[in-house]
């Protein structure tokens, strides 16, 4: 286990992470810190909790925008296959249950 000192929204935090993940954690903290400063600049004086709340909302909004720009994720081929088989089975059952008069 490694420990990393981070500064977010002007406050220092000591956070534990797995060995080798230190740089990734620092990069994530820098992103959160940047968004917290952006929130503070746009909204003026905020409590620490509200500053971090708005930073999280800005990050979530950024993530959602990226997802919608990229389009929906491709469907899982295994799920597509199962749904196709299920649809075929349902059609077969529906056909078997229909009265013969409706088939003509």
């Amino acid at each position: 286990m490694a420990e990393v000192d981070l500064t977010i929204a002007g406050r220092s935090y000591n956070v534990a992470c797995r060995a080798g993940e230190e740089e990734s954690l620092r990069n994530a903290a820098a992103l959160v810190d940047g968004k917290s400063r952006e929130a503070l600049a746009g909204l003026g004086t905020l409590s620490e909790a509200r500053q971090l709340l708005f930073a999280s909302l800005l990050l979530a909004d950024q993530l959602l925008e990226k997802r919608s720009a990229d389009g929906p994720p491709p469907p899982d081929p295994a799920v597509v296959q199962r749904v196709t088989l299920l649809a075929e089975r349902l059609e077969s059952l529906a056909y078997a249950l229909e009265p013969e008069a409706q088939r003509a």
Side-chain angles (χ1 to χ4, degrees), residues 12-104:
S12 295
Y13 298 90
N14 187 277
V15 179
C17 66
R18 292 185 205 137
E21 293 182 350
E22 298 88 348
E23 193 58 33
S24 179
L25 183 57
R26 285 186 190 97
N27 290 337
L31 186 59
V32 172
D33 184 54
K35 289 299 178 184
S36 72
R37 292 178 191 281
E38 185 179 327
L40 188 60
L43 298 170
T45 305
L46 295 170
S47 69
E48 179 183 354
R50 290 189 66 78
Q51 188 175 358
L52 292 174
L53 167 68
F54 282 107
S56 340
L57 292 172
L58 288 168
L59 287 167
D61 183 57
Q62 186 177 0
L63 178 62
L64 291 172
E65 282 180 16
K66 182 178 178 351
R67 281 186 186 167
S68 67
D70 292 344
D76 182 339
V79 173
V80 171
Q81 182 181 14
R82 290 181 74 186
V83 169
T84 301
L85 292 172
L86 181 60
E88 290 170 359
R89 178 73 176 134
L90 288 172
E91 286 177 15
S92 173
L93 288 171
Y95 182 78
L97 294 173
E98 287 179 353
E100 196 154 319
Q102 290 181 351
R103 290 186 202 145

